[in-house]
């Protein structure tokens, strides 16, 4: 038994000393995990905690792998390097052998020995305890002493033999890996790796990533999808048996299922995860597809929404689960179809959905539609990297295709364009509109999986990140059902609810008669306390209280006695069969008790001692003034108190309460519409508050899932909650939060600068109603009216009020005028008012409907602020109301909610320097009749006007010029890219096996060394600050750098250093050459008769702890503001974080630095580098120093501490 062998080996290791520096060996919290402490050598010994994992214990001890990593902080650099390198060599060894090998490898690295030194140990020296003797002596059992077993040796390994790195097969393998990764790099993505990738090491990782800001996702979509433009989208591949090229995967994996690779999609503020994060992403114990990290990230983001996250976690996306399932189950199969049939992504996806499960023969004719690719709906705004297709775009002479690049392009297709695809079957959604959030197609199975099986958005994520939005949606749904306006229902989800009383099952809650509504007044028979007080129903069969809805529909309720103290129900002695099972939910109705205790819902947790049945802490369904008692008996906590299971004994008669119960066995789909409304109300009345659910999720350390709260939330309540959240396709952004003391609120103030000024006592939500296509129709309408009517102010803002029970449908369907609630005296259309007070008269609740009692918001009214095309003469009416019949002329921008929260929600206006200038003739007024101020963020960036000075109050405010802002934003996003780690550069660059055959080969480039006239270069003054430590380090660098230059072909290397021009090791002259001929920079160089870009690299006294100063000498480039790019400042310095005190690390190599400088200069995003027109000129030293300091200040980067040493050649002094 493999697991028994692993446990025995672990217990033996715990009880014995396998190494002098390995101690504190312990079993981990999960199967196959363990930890130990390594104590370093020397007088300053440091203890490092190391964690190990056997991913598949069933393979132990003959075919298993180890994942080994450190969990300590501030560990020596060599520790992580050794653990990463040794993981492959200890595979298929027993636990004790592995510990000894790891200890010896760490010892050798600390003492300065090469990593290639022999690590072999004699396994016979390992003493095995009697704990494993029984297993080892079993017939056929594996033994470390058996001749069939041999531990793998260091170096490139295959099963059963050791292969030299000089072997041609190894060289070919490495060339292929580098080729695949280089292609992804050249396509504009960042490439990273973890583990012994080039050594064909098992458990290697490859990451391909791109910054979110470069994907063409709109700001509205980023908010809806909870993305940050500073994050990287990462496609992570785990090679469990070493790197496998596309041909292998298509030949093997497509037929037999994935076994040698796994894939994950996530986001991070770094371009690749750490080894620990990568291991965790693929761990079998992580069952929530990233929900754990995702949820905690969301929880933290509620307190630091607008601040850069301090951690570099690898977090899930809002659609991580469907994306991960898509790439793991279909990507390789789709690629096989594409290669076999020569079709595109769309054709392969359609072919998969049409033909899965069928065996095709050669005679089967394929429809031509598989070869017809339909362009994306947003192809005119998406960047090239999102639309690129490596299979179509690759060079016809290329024989290799990069799987990592194709996988990343496939991920981009289904993330950036996620609203075009069904989240379940992943087919194209053919609909008249495109939602701002992804949804599902109309297939019943897809709808069922989306709602019932959790394929849709994570409701837990929404609760953690936008709790007030969830509260708002639940409140609107409850009010709509209570008011008889709810017409869409959670059918097809298999919900079971308590049976309804016969008359309610027949009638339920009938639709509201719009003619009976009152404008902001109390109806006859309804008290004036508001929607959260008690209510009196004056008209029968119109609104029905849910207090007495339930009796068993098919049979009499089960009569029982209830022991409140023990939470037990006792059946009569005549009851022979137990109708209950563990996990059933029941509705228990008691007699002779207080009204707040009379009706409880509970889950069955124990039936062994029938006729006594144990129940979980009860959930009380309450109404009206008793709402505050909506919690389990005897506790104020969200967590039910644990109960000790003991055999039931008949309690004293005085402690028993008589009652009856019904089981949740009524199929919701079988109810009529009125009964469905009543059931939804009753189920929501058992749901905890959003605050309680958020506290529960925040307290969870592993699985962030409400399904774990089994004793508090019934499956019916959880299903209705999922339907409410998942079926909402609008994007409502929470702007406000809790009060400063954070004791009552659900979160801090979120985005006060986006609030409309002049509505301070109202809670505000930014309302991105509808879909991109609806927004585009609105933009087209604005543009048409502006040109046709020559409008100075293209749009106006106006208020729209509607009763609370209407808002559930408004947020889903948008504004329309199918139903008239208040008459249409001024024509058919959507009615608007310029004064908020007018719309308020239409916005309160109707007919005594009380709201959802668990709501923290306790909404009493709601109004919307809509943006409308400024063509009042073409409205149906413009006085006293604005009646707009053209629905494409209206876009809802804000939702204002009046809350009865007692001051626990902070609603703060923040004066912003960017406001939207409104038409003086049509400027809306707030509830105080003062003109409101609308922030510029209310409209999309594409429509924001140029700079103008306007006056509001006593202050003048300037409007931001959008084009300048956009250009600056693109520059910042590009410049803020995280520097590539040296080891990832070396994987792409250090191809010494092939380079050795091409010593100093300049045959494939027009660059010729030795032509640069050193005397013509304006240089920094010679350094006077030389230090022994820096000099020694730089001398080593120049030798290794020149050695690389000798062995790598010039056209591949792209840079050249003339050793004859180095008169001082602190000052290097570097020429960048052999740029891609298609780059505008290469064409400009050729036009001017130049073969290279000349750089000066100056090392400071603190090197290698501070970066070198790198500047361009000649030629001069076009500045970014003049239309240039390539990370070159106006003074010739390089605008790269890597070259600052913030981004530099002492382990950065010169070859990787030059590679990244050249790569940045070759970048075409957002614009390519260009040379300035006219004759060739040089940059001066002073302007380069000044430009570098200015760039650091602009981006918040630290100027290197020793940068003052470079000021000696610059005119004047600079403060930094």
């Amino acid at each position: 038994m493999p697991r028994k062998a692993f446990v025995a080996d672990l217990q033996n290791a715990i009880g014995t000393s396998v190494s002098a520096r390995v101690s504190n060996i312990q079993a981990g919290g999960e199967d196959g995990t363990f930890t130990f402490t390594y104590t370093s050598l020397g007088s300053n010994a440091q203890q490092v905690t190391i964690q190990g994992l056997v991913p598949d214990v069933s393979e132990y001890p003959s075919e298993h792998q180890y994942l080994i990593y450190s969990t300590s902080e501030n560990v020596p650099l060599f520790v992580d390097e050794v653990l990463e390198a040794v993981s492959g060599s200890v595979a298929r060894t027993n636990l004790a052998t592995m510990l000894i090998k790891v200890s010896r490898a760490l010892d050798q690295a600390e003492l300065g020995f090469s990593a290639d030194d022999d690590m072999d140990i004699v396994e016979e020296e390992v003493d095995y305890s009697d704990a494993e003797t029984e297993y080892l002596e079993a017939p056929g059992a594996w033994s470390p002493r058996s001749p069939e077993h041999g531990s793998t040796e260091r170096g490139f390994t295959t099963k059963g033999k050791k292969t030299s790195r000089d072997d041609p097969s190894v060289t070919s393998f490495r060339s292929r890996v580098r080729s695949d990764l280089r292609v992804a790099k050249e396509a504009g993505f960042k490439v990273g790796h973890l583990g012994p990738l080039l050594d064909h090491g098992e458990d290697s990782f490859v990451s391909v990533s791109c910054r979110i800001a470069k994907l063409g996702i709109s700001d509205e979509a980023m908010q809806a999808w909870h993305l940050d433009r500073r994050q990287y989208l990462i496609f992570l591949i785990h090679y469990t048996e070493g790197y496998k090229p596309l041909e292998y995967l298509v030949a093997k994996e497509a037929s037999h299922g994935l076994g040698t690779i796994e894939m994950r999609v996530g986001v991070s503020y770094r371009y690749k995860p750490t080894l620990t994060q990568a291991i965790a992403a693929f761990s079998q114990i992580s069952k929530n597809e990233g929900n754990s990290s995702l949820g905690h990230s969301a929880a933290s983001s509620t307190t630091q929404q607008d601040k850069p996250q301090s951690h570099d976690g690898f977090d899930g996306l809002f659609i991580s689960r469907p994306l991960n399932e898509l790439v793991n189950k279909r990507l390789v199969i789709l690629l096989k179809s594409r290669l076999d049939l020569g079709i595109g992504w769309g054709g392969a996806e359609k072919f998969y959905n049409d033909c899965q499960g069928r065996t095709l023969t050669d005679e089967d004719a394929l429809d031509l539609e598989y070869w017809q690719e339909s362009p994306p709906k947003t192809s005119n705004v998406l960047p090239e990297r999102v639309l690129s297709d490596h299979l179509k775009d690759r060079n016809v002479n290329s024989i290799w295709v990069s799987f990592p690049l194709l996988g990343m392009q496939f991920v981009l297709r289904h993330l950036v364009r996620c609203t075009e695809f069904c989240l379940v079957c992943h087919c194209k959604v053919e609909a008249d509109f495109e939602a701002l959030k992804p949804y599902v197609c109309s297939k019943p199975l897809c709808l069922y999986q989306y709602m019932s099986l959790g394929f849709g958005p994570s409701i837990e994520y929404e609760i953690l990140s936008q709790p007030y939005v969830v509260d708002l949606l639940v409140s609107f749904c409850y009010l709509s059902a209570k008011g008889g306006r709810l017409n869409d229902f959670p059918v097809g989800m298999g919900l079971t609810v308590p049976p309804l009383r016969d008359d309610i099952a027949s009638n339920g809650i009938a639709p509201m008669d719009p003619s009976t509504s009152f404008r902001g007044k109390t109806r006859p028979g309804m008290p004036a306390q508001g929607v959260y007080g008690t209510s009196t129903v004056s008209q029968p069969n119109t609104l029905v209280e849910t207090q007495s809805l339930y009796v068993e529909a098919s049979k009499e309720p089960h009569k029982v006695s209830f022991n409140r103290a023990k939470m037990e129900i006792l059946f009569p002695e005549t009851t022979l069969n137990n109708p209950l099972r563990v996990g059933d939910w029941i509705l228990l109705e008691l007699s002779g008790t207080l009204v707040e205790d009379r009706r409880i819902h509970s889950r069955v947790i124990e039936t062994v001692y029938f006729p006594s049945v144990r129940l979980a802490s009860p959930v009380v369904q309450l109404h009206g003034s008793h709402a505050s008692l909506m919690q389990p008996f005897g506790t104020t906590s969200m967590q039910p108190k644990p109960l000790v299971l003991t055999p039931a004994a008949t309690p004293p008669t005085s402690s028993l309460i008589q009652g009856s119960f019904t089981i949740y066995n009524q199929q919701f789909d079988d109810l009529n519409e009125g009964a469905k409304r009543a059931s939804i109300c009753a189920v929501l009345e058992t749901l905890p508050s959003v605050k309680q659910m958020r506290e529960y999720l925040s307290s969870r350390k592993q699985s962030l899932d409400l399904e774990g709260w089994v004793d508090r939330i019934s499956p019916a309540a959880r299903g209705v909650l999922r339907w409410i959240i998942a079926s909402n396709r609008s994007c409502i952004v929470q702007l406000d939060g809790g009060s400063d003391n954070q004791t009552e609120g659900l979160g801090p103030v979120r985005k006060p600068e986006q609030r409309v000024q002049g509505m301070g006592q109202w809670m505000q939500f930014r309302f991105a109603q509808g879909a991109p296509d609806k927004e585009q129709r609105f933009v087209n309408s604005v543009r048409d009216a502006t040109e046709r009517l020559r409008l100075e102010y293209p749009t106006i803002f106006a208020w729209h009020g509607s009763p609370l029970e209407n808002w559930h449908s408004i947020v889903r369907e948008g504004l329309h005028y199918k139903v008239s609630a208040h008459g249409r005296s001024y024509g058919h259309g959507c009615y608007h008012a310029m004064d908020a007070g007018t719309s308020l008269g239409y916005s309160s609740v109707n007919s005594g409907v009380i709201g959802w009692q668990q709501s923290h918001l306790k909404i009493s009214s709601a109004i919307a602020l809509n943006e409308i095309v400024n063509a009042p003469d073409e409205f149906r009416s413009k006085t006293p109301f604005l009646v707009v019949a053209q629905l494409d002329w209206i876009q809802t921008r804000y939702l204002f909610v009046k809350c009865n929260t007692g001051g626990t929600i902070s609603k703060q206006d923040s004066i912003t320097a960017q406001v939207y200038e409104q038409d003086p003739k049509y400027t809306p007024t707030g509830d105080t009749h003062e003109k409101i101020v609308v922030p510029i963020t209310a409209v999309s960036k594409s429509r924001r006007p140029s700079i103008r000075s306007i006056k509001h109050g006593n202050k003048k405010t300037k409007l931001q010029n959008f084009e300048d802002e956009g250009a600056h934003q693109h520059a910042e996003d590009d410049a803020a890219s995280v520097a590539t780690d040296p080891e990832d550069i070396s994987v792409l660059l250090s191809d010494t096996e092939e380079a050795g055959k091409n010593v100093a080969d300049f045959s494939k480039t027009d660059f010729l060394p030795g032509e640069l006239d050193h005397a013509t270069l304006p240089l920094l003054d010679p350094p006077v600050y030389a230090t022994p430590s820096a000099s020694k380090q730089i001398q080593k660098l120049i030798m290794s750098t020149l050695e690389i230059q000798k062995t790598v072909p010039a056209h591949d290397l792209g840079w050249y250093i003339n050793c004859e021009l180095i008169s001082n090791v602190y000052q290097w002259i570097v020429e960048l050459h052999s740029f891609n001929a298609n780059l505008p920079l290469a064409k400009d160089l050729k036009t001017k008769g130049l073969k290279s870009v000349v750089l000066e690299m100056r090392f400071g006294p603190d090197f290698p702890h501070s970066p070198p100063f790198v500047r361009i000498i000649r030629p001069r480039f076009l500045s970014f503001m003049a239309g240039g790019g390539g990370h070159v400042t106006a003074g010739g310095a390089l605008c790269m974080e890597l070259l600052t005190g913030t981004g530099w690390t002492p382990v950065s190599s010169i070859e990787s630095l030059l590679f990244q400088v050249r790569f940045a200069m070759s970048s075409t995003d957002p614009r390519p580098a260009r040379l300035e027109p006219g004759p060739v000129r040089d940059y001066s030293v002073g302007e380069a120093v000044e430009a570098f300091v200015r760039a650091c200040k602009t981006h918040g980067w630290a100027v290197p501490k020793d940068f003052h040493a470079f000021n000696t050649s610059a005119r004047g002094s600079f403060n930094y």
Side-chain angles (χ1 to χ4, degrees), residues 761-946:
Q761 297 306 309
W762 289 72
M763 190 172 185
Q764 301 185 19
F765 297 86
R766 205 162 89 75
F767 198 89
Q769 167 64 44
D773 69 318
K774 187 176 188 302
E775 179 73 31
Q776 188 60 53
R777 292 197 302 271
F778 176 76
V779 170
N780 293 340
S781 299
V782 172
R783 184 182 300 114
D784 175 70
T786 302
E787 295 175 355
R788 179 166 48 85
L789 303 176
R790 298 183 179 180
L791 298 174
E792 180 182 3
Y793 304 96
T795 62
I796 60 176
F797 286 86
W799 301 101
H800 176 80
S802 188
L804 286 177
E805 53 265 34
N806 291 344
W807 283 101
H808 174 82
S809 64
I810 290 176
V811 298
R812 282 160 173 74
E813 303 173 17
L815 291 170
H816 56 72
Y817 44 92
K818 299 175 184 177
V819 179
S820 175
H822 304 288
R824 294 176 179 171
S825 303
Y826 299 94
H828 292 286
C830 288
Y831 280 61
H832 296 80
M834 299 308 299
D835 183 68
T838 304
S839 295
L840 286 177
Y842 297 88
S843 63
S844 60
V845 73
N846 281 319
S847 188
V849 177
I850 61 174
W852 184 48
Q853 296 297 329
Q854 293 87 289
S855 171
H856 186 74
L857 299 178
K858 293 182 167 48
I859 305 170
S860 58
S861 57
I863 58 175
L865 183 65
N866 297 338
E867 187 181 12
I868 309 170
V869 174
N870 191 4
D873 292 336
E874 300 179 20
F875 297 167
R876 290 293 173 87
S877 174
K878 60 180 179 180
T879 182
F881 304 107
L882 302 179
V883 183
V884 185
Q886 302 93 330
L887 295 182
D888 287 344
W889 287 18
I890 308 169
Q891 275 291 73
T892 302
R893 299 302 184 192
Y894 283 88
L895 182 65
F896 295 80
V897 174
K898 197 73 170 181
C899 304
N900 300 321
T901 59
T904 59
I905 298 177
S906 179
K907 300 175 281 289
Q908 302 175 2
D909 286 341
S910 176
I911 302 298
T912 176
Q914 301 178 47
V915 300
Y916 185 81
E917 186 177 6
Q918 302 182 65
D919 188 339
K921 294 184 293 184
Y922 289 95
T923 301
T925 56
D927 55 355
T928 61
H929 306 293
E930 297 289 333
K931 291 183 178 181
I932 64 171
V933 177
V934 179
I936 194 67
T937 52
V939 299
S940 59
K941 281 190 173 182
S942 61
R943 294 179 42 245
R944 294 177 189 174
S946 301

Side-chain angles (χ1 to χ4, degrees), residues 1 30 33 122 143 192 217 296 352 380 452 456 528 586 655 839 885 907 914 994 1060 1073:
M1 296 176 64
E30 301 292 338
T33 63
V122 181
S143 169
I217 303 174
H296 286 295
Y352 176 90
N380 58 328
S452 301
I586 66 171
S655 65
S839 295
K907 300 175 281 289
Q914 301 178 47
E994 295 180 1
E1060 296 179 0
H1073 59 80

Side-chain angles (χ1 to χ4, degrees), residues 464-590:
L464 285 167
S465 62
Q466 296 210 110
Y468 284 132
V469 173
V470 176
D471 194 311
L472 183 85
L473 294 175
V474 175
S475 297
F476 282 164
C477 180
Y478 182 89
L479 286 162
S480 181
K482 198 75 171 176
R485 294 288 180 85
L486 187 65
N487 294 314
D488 56 328
F489 303 99
V491 295
M493 296 178 61
L495 298 181
T496 56
V497 296
L500 295 175
R501 201 178 62 202
D502 289 340
D503 59 330
I504 301 301
S506 301
N507 299 317
I509 297 180
M512 178 75 68
D513 181 1
S515 63
T516 63
S517 63
F518 282 68
R519 290 173 47 187
K521 298 179 181 179
T522 302
R523 293 187 174 197
M526 185 183 77
Q529 289 98 320
V531 297
Y532 291 87
T534 58
S535 65
T536 304
V537 179
S538 57
Q539 297 182 11
N541 297 327
T542 300
L543 293 173
V544 181
E545 285 283 357
T546 56
Q547 181 73 14
S548 302
L549 291 181
Y550 296 106
V551 299
E552 185 75 30
S554 58
K555 56 186 177 181
E556 291 296 322
H558 299 277
K559 296 185 180 300
V560 292
S561 301
F562 177 57
N563 186 326
R564 184 191 302 256
K566 292 187 175 183
M567 282 304 301
E568 294 176 346
I569 55 175
L570 184 65
F571 284 83
E573 295 181 358
T574 56
T575 305
L576 300 178
N577 298 317
N578 186 1
L580 296 175
R581 295 175 301 176
V582 172
D584 284 343
W585 274 78
I586 66 171
L587 169 62
L588 180 62
E589 298 189 75
L590 305 175

Side-chain angles (χ1 to χ4, degrees), residues 196-267:
L197 183 68
L198 291 181
D199 291 337
H200 206 279
E202 298 170 334
D203 291 309
S204 300
F205 301 87
V206 169
S207 67
V208 184
S209 60
C210 182
R211 194 176 284 276
I212 295 291
K214 298 181 179 181
L215 300 181
I217 303 174
S218 67
D219 288 350
E220 290 80 7
M222 283 193 195
Q223 289 184 339
W225 303 349
H226 306 290
L227 296 176
D228 186 336
R229 64 187 305 111
R230 299 164 294 181
Q231 291 175 314
Y232 282 90
L233 172 69
I234 301 176
F235 175 53
L236 183 64
I237 310 171
H238 178 204
Y239 294 95
T240 60
E241 297 181 8
Y243 186 87
K244 297 292 185 290
L246 177 64
E247 308 87 71
Y248 177 93
L249 296 174
V250 168
K252 302 293 185 181
E253 307 293 300
S255 302
H256 302 93
L258 295 183
T260 61
I261 62 167
E262 301 173 287
M263 293 162 277
R264 291 290 185 273
V265 181
V267 291

Side-chain angles (χ1 to χ4, degrees), residues 121-187:
I121 64 171
V122 181
E123 294 198 36
E124 283 76 3
E125 295 177 358
V126 180
D127 181 29
Y128 294 92
S129 68
D130 294 337
E132 63 178 339
T133 302
E134 179 183 351
Y135 168 76
L136 293 175
E137 294 177 353
W142 174 93
S143 169
R145 307 174 181 84
S146 64
E148 292 81 4
H149 173 71
S151 60
T152 57
E153 300 179 84
R154 293 185 60 81
F156 176 79
T157 61
T158 58
K159 291 186 178 180
K161 68 175 183 177
K162 179 178 178 179
T163 308
S164 169
R165 294 187 178 186
D166 296 328
D167 188 288
S169 64
V170 179
T171 302
S172 175
F173 168 78
R174 291 184 165 201
S175 297
R176 177 56 191 274
V177 174
R178 290 186 175 121
S179 174
D180 286 355
L181 300 188
R182 282 172 181 160
V183 170
K185 184 78 171 178
E186 291 167 0

Side-chain angles (χ1 to χ4, degrees), residues 278-333:
I279 293 171
F282 293 96
S283 174
Q284 293 181 358
I285 63 174
S286 180
K287 299 178 180 179
N288 292 305
E289 299 293 349
N291 279 356
S292 179
S293 60
L294 178 89
H296 286 295
S297 175
S300 64
S301 69
T302 59
T303 58
Q304 295 183 350
Q305 180 70 12
D306 298 317
K307 299 179 182 179
Q309 293 191 10
S310 58
H311 66 281
D312 294 327
F314 181 58
D315 299 328
L317 289 157
F318 71 113
I319 54 170
S320 277
R321 175 172 178 174
L323 261 184
N324 288 336
E325 291 193 352
L326 175 65
V327 295
N328 283 287
K329 292 183 178 179
R330 298 193 188 180
L331 176 56
V332 175
I333 298 174

Side-chain angles (χ1 to χ4, degrees), residues 703-740:
S703 174
L704 286 182
D705 198 332
L706 286 179
E707 291 186 11
W709 208 359
V710 293
D711 292 341
R712 180 59 185 87
I713 304 178
S714 67
R718 191 172 61 250
V720 172
L721 177 64
R722 179 178 296 280
W723 170 74
I724 291 172
I725 296 175
S727 63
N728 171 47
R729 283 174 279 183
S730 296
C731 175
I732 305 175
V733 181
Q734 176 180 322
L735 301 184
D736 300 312
S739 58
D740 293 336

